[in-house]
Amino acid sequence: DQLALIRQFVRLSPLLSVTLYDLDRHAARAQQLGVDLAPATFIRSGRSQVQYVGMASGTLLAAFMDAMSYVYVGRTPLDDASREVLAALERPVHVEILGAPYDAVSGHLMRLTAAMAAECRHVRPRIVDATEYPLFAARRQVTGVPVIVIEGQRFAGLWEEADLVEQIRRAAAGETEPVADR
């Protein structure tokens, strides 16, 4: 179903393309990309990349479409202060969001991290629909959504742009102190 959805999107613009990989036949490629759950969809353009795991639906479908727009068009709703902080990052920061298609905050975080990835090649988001992978979610001790993991540090709930950018900056700098007053 996810492949059929992506193929519909690809028909909308010559900027879009789809490449199908079989996890068994392309195991080395999957390992290189960090794919451990399927389906995994990568939204890529130039140096920007967003990984989405699961079937884009509910609030996550609209966020998925926005993520494609940010990455392919290159325009994001981030403010200039956020762009400056992200431009100064010197190393990759892995951000994982465990969300759900019925949760508006999950969609918000997907949009926000996709915009950050479009602005900065060092921000590497992976969005997982936790409802499709209950065993994975259980191993990650997800009891509510959204959960965001930045370089192994776990957070829950709503994040606004400035706070999330600051937390990512801290992770890139090796700082573990969480942003206060969010």
Side-chain angles (χ1 to χ4, degrees):
D1 290 340
Q2 182 72 1
L3 180 59
L5 175 69
I6 298 302
R7 285 187 172 147
Q8 291 291 327
F9 289 136
V10 168
R11 289 186 188 120
L12 297 174
S13 171
L15 295 173
L16 304 176
S17 65
V18 63
T19 304
L20 178 63
Y21 292 100
D22 179 276
L23 282 178
D24 294 327
R25 290 189 325 210
H26 303 100
R29 180 75 171 138
Q31 183 178 13
Q32 176 188 27
L33 291 171
V35 175
D36 58 351
L37 298 169
T41 303
F42 288 83
I43 303 168
R44 291 187 288 194
S45 179
R47 300 177 301 169
S48 300
Q49 175 175 293
V50 175
Q51 180 184 6
Y52 181 82
V53 179
M55 175 67 188
S57 64
T59 62
L60 296 178
L61 176 59
F64 183 88
M65 292 170 58
D66 286 342
M68 283 195 316
S69 171
Y70 301 156
V71 170
Y72 290 122
V73 176
R75 284 193 306 250
T76 71
L78 297 183
D79 64 35
D80 290 339
S82 294
R83 286 187 181 97
E84 287 179 28
V85 171
L86 294 171
L89 296 182
E90 295 182 0
R91 72 171 191 84
V93 178
H94 296 91
V95 179
E96 183 175 67
I97 298 168
L98 296 119
Y102 56 79
D103 176 53
V105 176
S106 297
H108 165 74
L109 288 174
M110 181 176 179
R111 282 181 182 88
L112 196 51
T113 57
M116 291 176 192
E119 294 285 347
C120 176
R121 66 183 171 90
H122 290 307
V123 178
R124 307 232 172 113
R126 169 178 151 151
I127 297 90
V128 179
D129 178 351
T131 64
E132 287 195 43
Y133 305 94
L135 294 177
F136 177 80
R139 282 194 306 272
R140 298 286 181 108
Q141 299 176 341
V142 174
T143 58
V145 293
V147 170
I148 188 166
V149 180
I150 304 170
E151 289 296 316
Q153 197 171 8
R154 180 186 170 113
F155 306 94
L158 176 65
W159 283 77
E160 293 304 326
E161 178 181 330
D163 291 336
L164 187 54
V165 167
E166 174 58 19
Q167 194 65 57
I168 288 171
R169 185 208 60 77
R170 289 179 186 191
E175 300 171 21
T176 59
E177 185 68 27
V179 173
D181 300 326
R182 29 175 234 101

